[in-house]
Amino acid sequence: MHAIEEILRKKKIKVTPQRMAVYSILKQSKFHPNVEMIYQKLKPDFPAMSLATVYKTMDVLKKVGLIQELNVGEGGLRYDAQIRPHSHIYCKNCGKVVDVDHFPLEELQDSLLEKVKEETGFNILFVQLYFFGTCPECNDKKELLEASS
Amino acid sequence: MHAIEEILRKKKIKVTPQRMAVYSILKQSKFHPNVEMIYQKLKPDFPAMSLATVYKTMDVLKKVGLIQELNVGEGGLRYDAQIRPHSHIYCKNCGKVVDVDHFPLEELQDSLLEKVKEETGFNILFVQLYFFGTCPECNDKKELLEASS
DNA sequence: TTCATAATTGATAGCAGTTATTACTTAAAA
DNA sequence: TTTTAAGTAATAACTGCTATCAATTATGAA
Ligand SMILES: [Mn+2]
Ligand SMILES: [Mn+2]
Ligand SMILES: [Zn+2]
Ligand SMILES: [Zn+2]
C-alpha cells in the first residue's frame, strides 16, 4: 500500500481512483499544474471525471498536507507535491513555474522567522517567496525576433 | 502640481478626479485595501463612480509604477502605494495585511538575485515575499475564548 | 461475501471578482 | 472656444471556484 493511502485511511478519508490519479500526476512531475491542466491530463483515463472532483481533490490533498498550493497571480492556483519549503520563479510570458532549489528558504525560516514574529507579533504558519520574470526560452525567442527586424 | 499629475501627463494619461482620489486613499493609508474597500471609501465623495472605474484606475496606476499589487490568496488583490520592495504578513483569520519593514528584501535582491538568475537563467523583474499566520489581536481573542471555556 | 451506510462523485447552478462593451462625458490640445 | 482622444458609468459577459443534490461507491460490520 502506498504512503498516501495510509495517510488518507488514517483520517477516515476514502481512497478513490480519482484521488490517487490526481496525486500521482503531481508526484511525478515538476510541472506545478493548475486544476485545468490536471483535468485535461486525466481525461483519457477518466473520461467521466468532473472538474469539480479535481477541485475537491486538491482541497483534500492540501488539507492532509500532501500538497502545497502556489499563487503566482494568474486566475487560478498551481499545485506542487513537493511540500518541503522552497521558492518558485514564474515566467510572466509563458506561465512556466520553476523551482528555485538553492534558494535558502529553509534557512530563512529558521534564522529570521523569529525576528519577524517579534517585529509583527504575528504567529507565523508559513512563508511564500516568488520571483517574477521571463524564462530563458522566452528571452531567446525575443532576441531572435528583435535581431530579424 | 502633484508629482503624480506630472507622471500621468508625461505619459499622455489624463488626470481625472477619480484617479487622484483613488491614489490619495492608497498614499495616505497603510491599509493595503482591495478594490471593494477603495470603492466603499470613495462612495461619499463620488457617489456616481463605478466599480469598473476603480478596477481600471488600479490598472493604470500599476502600469505607470505608482502602486504595487499584492496577492495574499484571497479572492481579490490588495494594493499598496509604497513601491519600495518590502514584504508583507497576512492574517488568515481577519485578513489584515501588515508591512514587514525590517525584513531584508532589498538586501536580498541585491545580494542573492544574481545567484537565482544564474541558477534558473531567468531575467528577474521583481520578488514577492509573503508571511502567513495570525495577528496578535486574533491570537488574544482566541486565548480569551479558550480561557473562558 | 453480502449488506448498510456514510463518503464521494458528476452534473450543474450559482457566486464573486474581474474584464469587455458601449453610449455618454470630459480633459486638454489646437 | 472648438475638437477629439481618452475616460466614465452602467452593465453584460467571463472565469475560477463553490454549493447542491441525486446517483454511485469505498469501507467495515455481520
Ligand atoms: Mn515547487
Ligand atoms: Mn506594504
Ligand atoms: Zn517563458
Ligand atoms: Zn487577525
Side-chain angles (χ1 to χ4, degrees):
Chain A
M1 198 195 295
H2 289 272
I4 169 178
E5 295 189 30
E6 274 189 76
I7 291 169
L8 293 178
R9 286 217 174 83
K10 213 168 275 177
K11 306 213 176 187
K12 310 270 183 208
I13 295 168
K14 286 186 182 172
V15 175
T16 67
Q18 291 90 337
R19 284 174 179 164
M20 298 306 282
V22 167
Y23 183 70
S24 81
I25 281 184
L26 279 170
K27 196 66 189 178
Q28 281 166 27
S29 77
K30 296 202 157 195
F31 203 56
H32 306 96
N34 60 25
V35 166
E36 186 62 32
M37 293 168 187
I38 294 169
Y39 178 62
Q40 291 303 335
K41 206 154 194 172
L42 288 175
K43 232 174 191 173
D45 291 332
F46 297 82
M49 184 162 49
S50 166
L51 192 57
T53 300
V54 183
Y55 277 105
K56 281 181 254 184
T57 300
M58 301 329 286
D59 208 49
V60 168
L61 294 178
K62 190 179 61 175
K63 272 183 182 144
V64 301
L66 277 165
I67 62 172
Q68 66 168 311
E69 207 174 64
L70 307 179
N71 191 334
V72 291
E74 297 175 314
L77 301 164
R78 302 294 199 106
Y79 294 91
D80 193 344
Q82 171 59 270
I83 50 176
R84 174 187 59 77
H86 62 290
S87 59
H88 294 88
I89 187 160
Y90 176 71
C91 177
K92 300 195 96 180
N93 191 242
C94 68
K96 201 179 295 165
V97 176
V98 178
D99 286 342
V100 181
D101 283 316
H102 302 316
F103 192 83
L105 197 56
E106 272 173 312
E107 299 149 46
L108 182 148
Q109 298 223 22
D110 298 336
S111 62
L112 291 174
L113 230 55
E114 205 49 49
K115 214 175 176 180
V116 175
K117 273 186 194 183
E118 273 175 39
E119 184 196 329
T120 62
F122 270 66
N123 174 34
I124 298 172
L125 300 171
F126 63 100
V127 185
Q128 297 255 252
L129 174 59
Y130 298 106
F131 296 84
F132 296 86
T134 50
C135 74
E137 289 80 359
C138 287
N139 296 340
D140 289 352
K141 269 184 208 158
K142 205 184 167 195
E143 258 180 50
L144 275 172
L145 252 163
E146 279 164 4
S148 71
S149 67
Chain B
M1 196 195 296
H2 288 274
I4 167 176
E5 294 189 30
E6 273 188 75
I7 291 170
L8 293 178
R9 288 216 175 84
K10 212 168 275 178
K11 303 212 178 189
K12 310 270 183 207
I13 295 168
K14 285 187 181 170
V15 175
T16 67
Q18 291 88 340
R19 284 175 180 165
M20 299 305 284
V22 168
Y23 184 70
S24 82
I25 281 184
L26 278 171
K27 197 65 189 178
Q28 280 166 27
S29 77
K30 295 201 157 197
F31 203 57
H32 306 95
N34 60 25
V35 167
E36 186 62 32
M37 293 167 187
I38 294 170
Y39 178 62
Q40 291 303 334
K41 207 152 194 174
L42 287 176
K43 234 175 190 172
D45 291 330
F46 298 81
M49 183 161 50
S50 166
L51 190 58
T53 298
V54 183
Y55 276 105
K56 281 183 243 178
T57 300
M58 302 330 284
D59 209 48
V60 168
L61 294 177
K62 190 179 61 177
K63 272 184 183 145
V64 302
L66 278 165
I67 62 171
Q68 67 169 310
E69 206 173 66
L70 306 180
N71 191 335
V72 291
E74 298 176 314
L77 301 163
R78 301 295 198 105
Y79 293 92
D80 193 344
Q82 171 59 270
I83 51 176
R84 174 185 59 77
H86 62 288
S87 59
H88 294 90
I89 188 160
Y90 176 72
C91 177
K92 301 194 95 180
N93 191 243
C94 68
K96 201 179 296 165
V97 175
V98 178
D99 286 340
V100 182
D101 284 315
H102 301 316
F103 192 84
L105 196 56
E106 273 174 310
E107 300 149 47
L108 182 149
Q109 297 223 21
D110 298 335
S111 61
L112 291 174
L113 230 55
E114 204 50 47
K115 214 175 177 179
V116 176
K117 274 186 192 183
E118 274 175 40
E119 184 195 328
T120 63
F122 271 64
N123 174 35
I124 299 172
L125 300 171
F126 63 100
V127 184
Q128 298 255 251
L129 174 59
Y130 297 106
F131 297 85
F132 296 87
T134 49
C135 74
E137 289 80 358
C138 287
N139 295 339
D140 289 353
K141 269 185 208 158
K142 206 183 167 194
E143 256 181 52
L144 275 171
L145 252 164
E146 279 164 4
S148 72
S149 67

